[in-house]
Amino acid sequence: MPFGLANAPATFERFMERAMRGILGKFVHVYLDDILIVSETWELHVDHLRAVFERIRMAGLKLKPSKCQLVAQNIKFLGHILAPDGLKKDEEKVRAMREFQCQRIRSSSVASSDSSAIIGNSSEASH
C-alpha cells in the first residue's frame, strides 16, 4: 500500500481484520501492523502461530524478522506491558508523561510571570 494516503492506516487496519477474520479476538489481536498472539500453552501457541502465519501468507503479506518478537513472556503493546500475571503500565511511558507535565507546568508558569510583568509595566505607563 502506498504511503502518504490520508486513509492508509484505517484501510490497512480493515485489511488486517479481514485477513484474521474468524480468529480475531480469540487468540489474535491486531492494531495496524502489530499482531499479538496470546496462548495458554506452548502447544496451543504453535498452532496459533501456524494459523496466523498461514493467514499472513494467504493475504500476500510478508513479515520482517527484525520487527518480530516471538514466544515472549512480556510484550510492550500500545503503551502497556502484557505479562503472564496481567496488564501493567510501561514505566518508560509513565516517566515520559511525568517529565512532559513538569515541563509544561514550568513553561506555563514562566509564560504567565512574563505576561504579568508586561501587563504590569503597561498599566504603569498608561497612568
Side-chain angles (χ1 to χ4, degrees):
M1 174 181 309
F3 287 97
L5 301 174
N7 294 324
T11 301
F12 190 73
E13 176 75 22
R14 276 194 305 279
F15 178 76
M16 290 299 294
E17 288 173 1
R18 285 188 189 123
M20 299 298 157
R21 187 176 291 144
I23 59 174
L24 195 62
K26 294 179 181 176
F27 57 87
V28 176
H29 305 277
V30 174
Y31 181 73
L32 298 175
D33 62 345
D34 291 332
I35 303 171
L36 183 66
I37 305 167
V38 182
S39 309
E40 294 281 329
T41 66
W42 173 250
E43 292 78 15
L44 272 177
H45 198 61
V46 171
D47 290 342
H48 293 162
L49 284 169
R50 280 191 185 116
V52 170
F53 289 159
E54 178 62 22
R55 287 167 184 265
I56 289 170
R57 187 183 66 73
M58 294 295 289
L61 298 172
K62 296 184 188 277
L63 299 175
K64 186 173 184 179
S66 64
K67 297 247 179 179
C68 296
Q69 187 177 2
L70 297 173
V71 194
Q73 290 288 319
N74 298 309
I75 299 196
K76 290 184 179 185
F77 190 69
L78 301 177
H80 295 86
I81 296 176
L82 302 173
D85 57 338
L87 190 63
K88 300 176 182 180
K89 295 181 212 172
D90 183 348
E91 289 303 321
E92 288 178 29
K93 302 287 184 191
V94 173
R95 183 175 10 79
M97 286 302 296
R98 283 190 186 125
E99 289 172 5
F100 176 76
Q101 288 175 346
C102 289
Q103 289 172 354
R104 194 173 73 196
I105 290 168
R106 273 187 247 138
S107 65
S108 66
S109 65
V110 168
S112 66
S113 67
D114 287 347
S115 62
S116 65
I118 295 167
I119 294 168
N121 290 339
S122 65
S123 64
E124 289 174 14
S126 65
H127 288 293

